[in-house]
Amino acid sequence: MSIRHEPPRYPLLEQVDYPDDLRQLPVQELPQLADELREFLVETVSRTGGHLAAGLGVVELTIALHYVFDTPNDRLIWDVGHQAYPHKILTGRRERMATLRQKGGLSGFLRCDESDYDAFGAGHSSTSISAALGMAVAAKLEGIRREHIAVIGDGALSAGMAFEALNHAGALDMDLLVVLNDNDMSISRPVGAVSNYLARVLSSRFYNRMREGGKQVLSVMPSGVRDLVDRWEEHMKGMLIPGTLFEELGFNYIGPIDGHDLPMLVQTLENMKEMEGPRFLHVVTQKGRGFAPAEGDPCFYHGVKPFDPETGEQAGGGGGITYTGVFSDWVCDQAARDERLVAITPAMCEGSGLVRFAEEFPSRYFDVGIAEQHAVTLAAGMACDGLKPVVAIYSTFLQRAYDQLIHDVALQNLDVTFAVDRAGLVGADGPTHAGAFDLSYARCIPNMAVLAPRDEAECQRMLHSAWEHKGPALVRYPRGRGPGVLPDSSLEKLPWGRGELLRKGKRVALLGFGSLVSLCEAVGEALDGSVANMRFIKPVDEALVRELAGTHELLVTVEENAVMGGAGSAVAEVLSDAGICVPLLQFGLLDRYIDQGTQSQQLEEAGLDRESLLSRIRQRLEDL
């Protein structure tokens, strides 16, 4: 009996383990490879979840870049990492894609320790041009000839950091190619035959030899003639292509070109590879390309849970309301009561829960793009003239506006409320998005109040309390759902700066902050100890700390934040100032980054689970 062998599902893709294999293929086979790569990407992410639409949009661009350039010797730097899944598949990680975003598996972002092809680690946006320029400077100083390519999305180009890098790069004689993946912002005219033709001409060796030769001829002519010719070239290019800004910054601009025309991409990149100095290639792509549900709603399919690859239907997330949902309801209810409320977000409308607000209060909604520094100072300016801004932002993204938080808001004691989402560990997004430091970096700022809710109902009350507080206040809450304590419609304020004693016990008192109060209750029950919900990190409830210290042998602080400088440190400072000598055990995130996994896996790794707390507390009590 003969054995039937099924043909490979991905005949070309299975031949490509690394870019060296890719470069052996003839150009005419690359479109088929793109089709297989796109299908494989949908199949993989449908099982693991992750970022989908951005990667689908850059399949052809990824193939062309690795086909033309000698990676990893040539440095290819992807901005953010959302768009880098096709890059991972083509650089030796295809067989491990099933482990994407899982504990011990592939990162959902870029990591230098994961692959030599990941030239720069990235989870946040707008860093690629700065990093690529730094590498170009290093190569020049070391006498090494290599290319440096930064691929940045149009959304990331809205950040000031990207323009700072462009401004610097244009003034340096460095071999740097910036590729703009334009998939959303409509900053250019539609791509067509004319613009493709212009790109071929402007990137061709003939045109650039003529351009450089003309410069040499003009160098010996009077300055007035040179200025006239320069203005003429700029005028002609500005009439035909939208690259005048980048030309003014010192880049040789090419584009826009069709980012899904592989032969065109390869030809243009080969031409640009021969050019020297700062170059800028404008590529227009379609986010979600090749997967109908993602094409129809690229925002929804930006980051996905596991889904049906045929229909695009995503797996259910369970019942109940998330902390983000609590904020969404509160900010809309409060805006209906007070027309002074304005909401600001740095490009995180969906993630931060402002979709409903944007629909109901469009004139009071401000999405500033990926510009966290601007978002915070914009809020400061609004607060100066009588508005009451609410800044909805992730904990890790607020880090990017730290000086503005100090100098523009807190120093002037302005009435700005910060709704800080994704505080603590965030699961599959890993260390780049973990809100591990906000308690530490916020509580040391004068005038800043810092609150953390134990459950959904308390989150609503804290938001309202922070809103009513005169001055800057920050409410931090975790990703996902809480214990299931649903808020009501009362909008009742909390007693300012006061915690609450949830359980009165013996010997040990657990002081819980925010999301881990329920863990403290479970441990306190097992130990017959006291449990306090501290609520406020700043101002911390000093009276409650002193009371517990006077009636217990051991105090234990528990927080989902870095131990250093966090809530436990606030308690230690109270004890020190009062001259109280009582043993203090601090639980929180240790002095290292915790890799991706489920949130429960990460908490266990950090020692923030019931058994770990019980073991360490019992040992300390025995030592006492």
Side-chain angles (χ1 to χ4, degrees):
M1 182 177 65
S2 62
I3 299 176
R4 293 183 59 188
H5 294 281
E6 293 291 331
R9 288 191 59 192
Y10 306 105
L12 278 183
L13 183 60
E14 290 176 14
Q15 297 178 38
V16 179
D17 292 321
Y18 290 94
D20 283 342
D21 305 318
L22 169 65
R23 297 173 196 128
Q24 305 307 310
L25 298 176
V27 173
Q28 58 267 27
E29 290 188 355
L30 297 184
Q32 179 186 336
L33 177 65
D35 291 341
E36 294 180 15
L37 178 53
R38 188 168 274 114
E39 183 180 346
F40 180 82
L41 180 60
V42 171
E43 179 188 3
T44 299
V45 179
S46 73
R47 296 172 180 169
T48 64
H51 294 98
L52 180 64
L56 289 172
V58 296
V59 166
E60 288 84 2
L61 178 60
T62 306
I63 291 171
L65 287 167
H66 282 296
Y67 192 79
V68 171
F69 293 99
D70 181 27
T71 53
N73 180 58
D74 288 337
R75 303 297 196 243
L76 177 58
I77 298 97
W78 295 90
D79 213 275
V80 184
H82 297 156
Q83 54 187 341
Y85 290 5
H87 161 81
K88 287 177 181 277
I89 294 167
L90 295 177
T91 53
R93 289 168 276 184
R94 186 180 72 247
E95 297 299 325
R96 295 188 63 209
M97 285 296 289
T99 70
L100 188 68
R101 293 163 53 86
Q102 299 170 26
K103 186 174 177 61
L106 291 179
S107 170
F109 299 98
L110 296 158
R111 293 186 57 157
C112 298
D113 60 1
E114 186 177 286
S115 171
D116 290 340
Y117 290 89
D118 290 0
F120 191 75
H124 290 187
S125 78
S126 314
T127 62
S128 59
I129 304 174
S130 297
L133 180 59
M135 294 176 187
V137 170
K140 186 170 185 177
L141 292 176
E142 294 170 6
I144 299 171
R145 173 65 180 173
R146 66 165 67 103
E147 294 293 332
H148 306 86
I149 308 101
V151 185
I152 185 167
D154 52 1
L157 199 64
S158 66
M161 182 177 179
F163 279 95
E164 291 170 13
L166 286 169
N167 182 59
H168 187 204
L172 299 178
D173 183 22
M174 297 292 166
D175 287 333
L176 173 68
L177 170 60
V178 176
V179 179
L180 170 61
N181 172 29
D182 177 3
N183 63 21
D184 191 32
M185 288 181 63
S186 300
I187 63 175
S188 65
R189 298 175 228 171
V191 173
V194 173
S195 57
N196 279 345
Y197 168 75
L198 286 170
R200 278 196 295 270
V201 171
L202 294 173
S203 67
S204 69
R205 185 175 301 177
F206 171 77
Y207 171 83
N208 283 281
R209 281 180 178 171
M210 290 292 292
R211 189 172 187 260
E212 295 303 315
K215 287 182 179 179
Q216 293 178 18
V217 172
L218 289 170
S219 67
V220 297
M221 298 184 71
S223 60
V225 177
R226 292 199 304 271
D227 292 343
L228 176 63
V229 174
D230 285 344
R231 286 197 299 271
W232 177 84
E233 181 190 26
E234 178 183 314
H235 175 70
M236 293 304 294
K237 291 181 75 172
M239 286 176 60
L240 297 169
I241 55 178
T244 305
L245 169 64
F246 304 108
E247 291 276 347
E248 288 290 339
L249 289 170
F251 282 77
N252 192 351
Y253 173 92
I254 306 296
I257 67 171
D258 184 350
H260 303 295
D261 184 341
L262 255 169
M264 176 67 194
L265 280 170
V266 169
Q267 181 181 352
T268 304
L269 288 169
E270 286 177 342
N271 288 339
M272 298 190 76
K273 185 178 180 180
E274 299 301 316
M275 297 159 59
E276 296 182 347
R279 292 145 284 163
F280 193 101
L281 176 61
H282 184 169
V283 176
V284 177
T285 63
Q286 179 185 16
K287 196 171 184 179
R289 175 86 169 194
F291 184 54
E295 288 180 357
D297 192 349
C299 186
F300 182 75
Y301 284 90
H302 171 73
V304 295
K305 298 188 286 286
F307 62 92
D308 184 331
E310 297 297 325
T311 65
E313 183 177 350
Q314 293 189 34
I321 187 172
T322 63
Y323 283 99
T324 306
V326 171
F327 166 73
S328 177
D329 290 342
W330 170 80
V331 75
C332 290
D333 292 345
Q334 189 62 47
R337 292 179 174 90
D338 194 330
E339 62 182 14
R340 295 176 300 162
L341 189 151
V342 289
I344 303 169
T345 185
M348 293 306 298
C349 179
E350 293 78 17
S352 291
L354 285 175
V355 172
R356 179 184 155 202
F357 185 96
E359 294 171 349
E360 296 183 8
F361 307 96
S363 65
R364 292 152 64 186
Y365 166 71
F366 300 90
D367 184 344
V368 302
I370 302 175
E372 295 88 355
Q373 294 172 314
H374 168 58
V376 173
T377 304
L378 175 69
M382 291 174 170
C384 280
D385 275 3
L387 296 179
K388 283 181 67 70
V390 175
V391 179
I393 191 168
Y394 288 8
S395 173
T396 50
F397 299 163
L398 186 57
Q399 293 166 185
R400 311 186 85 186
Y402 191 55
D403 180 64
Q404 288 70 28
L405 194 64
I406 295 172
H407 182 271
D408 298 338
V409 175
L411 180 62
Q412 304 182 86
N413 200 27
L414 294 174
D415 198 359
V416 180
T417 301
F418 294 89
V420 179
D421 205 330
R422 269 60 166 186
L425 299 170
V426 292
D429 278 342
T432 61
H433 284 61
F437 312 110
D438 54 77
L439 295 186
S440 302
Y441 71 64
R443 80 172 192 88
C444 65
I445 303 175
N447 295 331
M448 181 68 67
V450 185
L451 301 78
R454 63 178 291 206
D455 55 40
E456 302 91 330
E458 192 167 79
C459 183
Q460 182 202 56
R461 295 181 68 191
M462 281 190 177
L463 287 164
H464 189 61
S465 300
W467 163 266
E468 293 289 345
H469 174 68
K470 302 303 180 185
L474 183 155
V475 181
R476 61 105 71 169
Y477 43 89
R479 178 179 189 170
R481 294 174 172 80
V485 183
L486 299 183
D488 56 31
S489 58
S490 63
L491 289 183
E492 182 183 354
K493 289 196 298 182
L494 293 169
W496 191 255
R498 296 284 299 278
E500 61 174 344
L501 188 63
L502 301 177
R503 187 182 195 280
K504 190 168 184 178
K506 305 172 183 177
R507 297 197 69 190
V508 60
L510 292 99
L511 288 68
F513 294 85
S515 57
L516 297 183
V517 170
S518 58
L519 172 64
C520 293
E521 290 182 289
V523 173
E525 186 72 27
L527 295 172
D528 191 22
S530 296
V531 178
N533 170 27
M534 296 302 294
R535 289 177 168 164
F536 289 80
I537 293 85
K538 183 182 181 183
V540 70
D541 190 340
E542 297 184 10
L544 181 56
V545 171
R546 290 194 295 268
E547 176 189 339
L548 294 173
T551 53
H552 295 80
E553 301 173 38
L554 173 66
L555 298 187
V556 178
T557 61
V558 185
E559 61 189 298
E560 198 172 346
N561 183 84
V563 169
M564 288 189 285
S569 295
V571 172
E573 291 160 13
V574 172
L575 298 175
S576 177
D577 288 346
I580 299 173
C581 294
V582 62
L584 175 64
L585 186 58
Q586 298 180 49
F587 286 92
L589 302 180
L590 305 178
D591 188 23
R592 60 183 176 84
Y593 295 105
I594 296 177
D595 275 336
Q596 67 199 33
T598 65
Q599 285 172 285
S600 60
Q601 287 173 333
Q602 291 178 319
L603 287 169
E604 185 175 351
E605 184 177 339
L608 294 174
D609 61 286
R610 181 178 181 275
E611 296 308 314
S612 296
L613 262 66
L614 282 172
S615 176
R616 288 188 59 193
I617 293 171
R618 282 170 174 157
Q619 183 61 55
R620 181 61 63 90
L621 288 171
E622 287 180 15
D623 294 341
L624 292 176

